[in-house]
Amino acid sequence: MYGITDFSDSLNSTKNKFYGIKLWVFDIAGTIVYEGNLVYKTVCNDINEVLMRAGKSDKQARLELCLEYSAMSELFEQLKAGGRNVVLNTGYDAKTASEIFTTLGWSVGNQVNASIIADDVDEGRPDPDMITLTTKQFNVDNSQQVLKAGDSGINIEEGKNTGCGLVLGVLSSAQNEQRLVKYSPDAVLDKLTELKEFI
């Protein structure tokens, strides 16, 4: 098993990496979601409508995968309060990303420090261009000071190709732990908000 418990057991050798992370980059679709909370069914439906209009019906969010607003916002606030920058990145185009942000009620400068999309760079994932652009925006010269977390193998590859100090898989989407481990992340979390215990 290669989950959060095992990662906790090796904190003596890895916790210092968290202290050195200045830029926290999170994938949007599939990563910032929470299992089993149907309270946000309407939000899920709204997001699905946005994705369908963008021709991304294959990326539809399952109804049991709904946004955990309070916990996610608390995580972002905790990170920013410690002087860290929170960035969301996605392979979606500008229109789709903007509509998703509007649906969530999130905006750059409030919940997050920045948002980087595939339209902003020449090459999308798994190339490092999106994260590299982010490091330039926040004057982070050392990629070891960057954390990348995502729910798919291509997210993990993006982080590793950038040379991020920490690359995490998140089990909030369709890919299971066994599949994510094949991409050799530093750890696999059940959900993104588990990061709170390492901040």
Side-chain angles (χ1 to χ4, degrees):
M1 197 73 174
Y2 187 68
I4 189 75
T5 302
D6 303 283
F7 196 47
S8 300
D9 292 341
S10 61
L11 277 180
N12 288 336
S13 61
T14 59
K15 197 166 185 178
N16 286 338
K17 289 187 177 182
F18 280 98
Y19 294 140
I21 299 296
K22 295 182 177 179
L23 190 61
W24 299 62
V25 182
F26 304 131
D27 171 52
I28 295 178
T31 302
I32 54 171
V33 295
Y34 176 71
E35 292 185 63
N37 193 336
L38 293 180
V39 173
Y40 300 108
K41 179 178 178 180
T42 300
V43 176
C44 291
N45 289 339
D46 288 346
I47 291 176
N48 283 340
E49 286 183 16
V50 170
L51 296 178
M52 188 171 294
R53 288 197 302 270
K56 303 288 185 180
S57 57
D58 59 319
K59 302 294 185 182
Q60 296 286 287
R62 298 195 306 271
L63 289 181
E64 69 269 21
L65 291 177
C66 298
L67 289 165
E68 188 185 33
Y69 285 117
S70 58
M72 198 63 64
S73 294
E74 287 172 9
L75 171 63
F76 294 167
E77 285 303 317
Q78 189 175 347
L79 287 169
K80 292 193 297 178
R84 304 170 179 94
N85 290 301
V86 177
V87 177
L88 301 185
N89 80 342
T90 181
Y92 292 147
D93 58 42
K95 183 176 183 292
T96 304
S98 177
E99 289 183 342
I100 290 176
F101 261 67
T102 299
T103 301
L104 303 180
W106 287 356
S107 62
V108 172
N110 290 312
Q111 289 77 14
V112 299
N113 297 100
S115 173
I116 303 297
I117 60 174
D119 287 351
D120 294 329
V121 296
D122 292 329
E123 301 292 338
R125 297 171 182 150
D127 283 10
D129 290 15
M130 282 196 288
I131 298 179
T132 299
L133 175 60
T134 306
T135 60
K136 292 177 180 178
Q137 289 183 353
F138 289 94
N139 298 314
V140 176
D141 298 324
N142 185 355
S143 62
Q144 288 292 298
Q145 296 176 323
V146 180
L147 176 147
K148 168 64 195 221
D151 68 309
S152 65
I154 199 168
N155 276 285
I156 295 170
E157 288 180 321
E158 177 190 26
K160 296 181 80 67
N161 289 340
T162 309
C164 292
L166 281 171
V167 181
L168 308 177
V170 184
L171 297 175
S172 53
S173 189
Q175 295 197 8
N176 60 32
E177 185 173 10
Q178 186 177 14
R179 290 183 65 182
L180 291 182
V181 166
K182 291 180 180 179
Y183 295 91
S184 302
D186 294 298
V188 176
L189 312 180
D190 285 333
K191 54 186 178 181
L192 193 63
T193 48
E194 288 181 343
L195 283 173
K196 287 183 178 181
E197 62 183 280
F198 300 108
I199 299 173

